[in-house]
Amino acid sequence: MGHWIAGTDRPGNSGRTAPVTDPATGRVTGAVAMAGPEEVRTAVAAASAAFPAWRDTSLSRRTAIVFRFRELLNARKGELAQLITAEHGKVFSDALGEVSRGQEVVEFACGIPHLLEGGFTQNVSTGVDAYSVHAPLGPVAIISPFNFPAMVPMWFFPIAIATGNTVVLKPSEKDPSAALWMARLWTEAGLPAGVFNVVQGDKESVDALLTDPEITAISFVGSTPIAEYVYASGTATGKRVQALGGAKNHAVILPDADLDLAADALVSAGYGSAGERCMAISVAVAVGDIADDLVARVAQRTRGLRIGDGHGEADMGPLVTRGHRDKVAGAIDIAEGEGARVVVDGRAATGTSDADIDVSQGFWLGPTLLDHVTPAMAAYREEIFGPVLAVVRVAGYEQALELINSNPYGNGTAIFTRDGGAARRFQYEVEVGMVGINVPIPVPMAYYSFGGWKSSLFGDTHAHGVQGVHFFTRTKAVTSRWLDPSHGGLHLGFPRND
């Protein structure tokens, strides 16, 4: 498969391709073209050429097209979810949930006219009016990760398009089909050619976007080292950049918590999508004397999970690639060697399939529960990005809070308690961008903004919500006066408001 530029499929011409695999079977199902600088330049040129007309398209017309895209997506989102399962490996229900959460941002963008309302002040000086408008930036780029090939791009492009920008999307080469599917859906919805473009690729295409002089802004989601690189490189060339990085999300379980609720939440948030979520809970902080009981309840639930092909009835699918599967298994090896207790071991897991297909070569790794993990261990310090839940034991609330606040990441966190005062104190004191209270994955609704603190975000603007509108627009202040023929002649002094 190739690219989508100026409203048409474009085969790759760089000569480089990457394999696309089905993680459940390990079978190569296709090849995706890797764009070189010339192909990226073609896509950016198409976005630049389309920008003036799209900027000048009425707001009513723009939002009508976004609404049409929403209707088509809602009717056919099962198709998109099937593509995600086939290339990422997450179970179908999880893929469908991903699409639905992305659709919420599309729905938010349908109401963009209200958020683009400017200000107007009459007669700031004699016969002079002042007002402000929110102007689009121009061609913008989105660089999205493998773990949410539909939802993460939809955090950005509905708002970018609705506010009058044009888009070049660079999806992950591991699961490229979702981006092309959405590009074709935009065309069906009536979006003009060149407003939404897709270039496949790797670092070479990313670097071309970061340095292209016509790209005005970059939205990125990925690991912290790459987010920092994208932010430094993009801002060095004068671009506006929002770069969302990695995470090490903690859930604090206080002694008064409902342990069944907490255990259900930890298993769901730790192992959903095989832990390949930036909002996954990867550290459970057990406070006081509840740890043994909590670990037993989590282990009992973990052992009952069904691992298998995402198209069937499994609870958890494979990891995205064999290399990533082996990396996660290696992290478990290191944790065990450093003294962590492996309560539930997923390293020998094999998957099942409800269909008559061979899954013996799939990228399987079962949910793994580690106990007695300490902050000095690699399993605590590093983002594993797999189905590994680490339990850290602390004596009290203050130690739990300090653990989170001293961590370099600040993406998401949660607390489980029946004490409203403790929850209120935690939400106020914790240094994390998104907080859940008895909610394990506090992903905000589309009208709020998604983003972390510290090394989980480079830039000062979060994704979607009002901050997303601010990111994709810039303010223009206008001062106007319509004069009668006796305008008063020359005046070289500094303008005064009389």
Side-chain angles (χ1 to χ4, degrees):
M1 66 192 76
H3 318 292
W4 182 268
I5 299 174
T8 61
D9 283 300
R10 301 285 185 94
N13 57 25
S14 71
R16 297 188 306 122
T17 62
V20 179
T21 59
D22 178 349
T25 64
R27 184 172 60 89
V28 175
T29 57
V32 59
M34 298 284 100
E38 291 184 3
E39 290 163 301
V40 173
R41 178 88 278 283
T42 301
V44 175
S48 295
F51 173 64
W54 183 242
R55 174 198 59 201
D56 296 342
T57 298
S58 73
L59 197 50
S60 296
R61 172 64 178 157
R62 274 193 246 146
T63 53
I65 292 173
V66 175
F67 188 82
R68 175 62 176 158
F69 178 84
R70 185 264 176 202
E71 294 296 282
L72 292 169
L73 178 65
N74 190 53
R76 294 166 51 190
K77 58 188 175 184
E79 298 175 25
L80 182 54
Q82 291 285 3
L83 289 176
I84 294 168
T85 295
E87 294 181 351
H88 174 276
K90 65 178 66 176
V91 299
F92 177 76
S93 60
D94 192 26
L96 197 60
E98 167 187 346
V99 177
S100 295
R101 291 309 302 264
Q103 183 181 318
E104 291 173 5
V105 184
V106 180
E107 293 165 354
F108 172 80
C110 290
I112 215 77
H114 169 69
L115 295 174
L116 291 179
E117 181 182 8
F120 186 94
T121 304
Q122 187 173 358
N123 234 33
V124 296
S125 187
T126 304
V128 177
D129 302 327
Y131 52 97
S132 63
V133 297
H134 301 292
L137 305 177
V140 301
I142 299 167
I143 303 167
S144 63
F146 75 86
N147 59 323
F148 287 102
M151 184 185 74
V152 167
M154 280 194 275
W155 281 352
F156 305 111
F157 68 64
I159 298 174
I161 289 171
T163 52
N165 302 280
T166 54
V167 172
V168 178
L169 168 62
K170 205 297 290 181
S172 170
E173 67 276 15
K174 296 180 178 66
D175 40 15
S177 294
L180 295 173
W181 188 93
M182 291 186 290
R184 297 184 184 104
L185 201 71
W186 271 119
T187 298
E188 189 175 339
L191 192 70
V195 176
F196 185 78
N197 307 274
V198 177
V199 288
Q200 313 286 359
D202 51 14
K203 184 178 184 298
E204 188 172 339
S205 56
V206 169
D207 287 341
L209 289 170
L210 291 175
T211 57
D212 194 291
E214 291 189 283
I215 291 293
T216 60
I218 301 279
S219 298
F220 171 86
V221 177
S223 69
T224 285
I226 306 304
E228 189 170 12
Y229 170 79
V230 167
Y231 181 75
S233 301
T235 55
T237 59
K239 303 183 193 311
R240 184 177 290 186
V241 181
Q242 52 181 177
L244 284 67
K248 198 71 179 179
N249 301 325
H250 297 60
V252 175
I253 301 89
L254 294 185
D256 71 324
D258 181 328
L259 293 189
D260 282 324
L261 170 66
D264 287 344
L266 290 172
V267 171
S268 300
Y271 304 131
S273 196
E276 293 174 328
R277 293 172 175 161
C278 68
M279 289 297 287
I281 292 296
S282 55
V283 179
V285 185
V287 179
D289 60 1
I290 62 166
D292 287 343
D293 192 1
L294 178 67
V295 168
R297 294 176 195 234
V298 172
Q300 182 267 329
R301 289 161 170 79
T302 301
R303 292 188 180 102
L305 295 178
R306 298 165 296 175
I307 314 303
D309 176 17
H311 294 290
E313 297 299 319
D315 299 306
M316 194 187 93
L319 273 71
V320 67
T321 64
R322 188 176 304 280
H324 186 55
R325 181 263 169 218
D326 293 345
K327 181 181 178 182
V328 175
I332 301 169
D333 294 341
I334 293 170
E336 187 174 30
E338 291 182 333
R341 177 185 168 221
V342 183
V343 180
V344 180
D345 192 343
R347 287 172 288 187
T350 56
T352 62
S353 174
D354 295 341
D356 186 21
I357 58 173
D358 181 8
V359 296
S360 62
Q361 299 303 308
F363 311 140
W364 305 107
L365 191 142
T368 297
L369 177 62
L370 304 176
D371 193 9
H372 297 284
V373 173
T374 69
M377 295 179 181
Y380 176 81
R381 298 193 317 271
E382 299 172 4
E383 184 181 26
I384 297 174
F385 217 65
V388 180
L389 178 64
V391 178
V392 177
R393 300 172 179 231
V394 299
Y397 168 86
E398 288 76 13
Q399 294 95 324
L401 182 69
E402 173 60 24
L403 197 67
I404 298 171
N405 286 351
S406 62
N407 193 278
Y409 298 107
N411 203 48
T413 190
I415 188 169
F416 290 86
T417 180
R418 292 184 172 96
D419 187 336
R424 186 175 185 275
R425 179 182 173 188
F426 180 77
Q427 74 176 48
Y428 178 77
E429 295 178 335
V430 73
E431 296 173 4
V432 173
M434 292 171 283
V435 181
I437 299 172
N438 297 315
V439 174
I441 305 178
V443 177
M445 295 296 291
Y447 37 85
Y448 286 92
S449 295
F450 182 103
W453 291 8
K454 300 184 282 190
S455 292
S456 294
L457 175 71
F458 296 89
D460 59 0
T461 307
H462 290 186
H464 61 68
V466 174
Q467 289 197 39
V469 177
H470 290 171
F471 181 80
F472 287 114
T473 61
R474 51 189 171 184
T475 302
K476 181 183 291 185
V478 181
T479 304
S480 71
R481 176 170 58 188
W482 297 98
L483 300 175
D484 59 34
S486 56
H487 56 74
L490 295 174
H491 178 69
L492 302 188
F494 194 79
R496 289 167 40 186
N497 295 326
D498 296 325

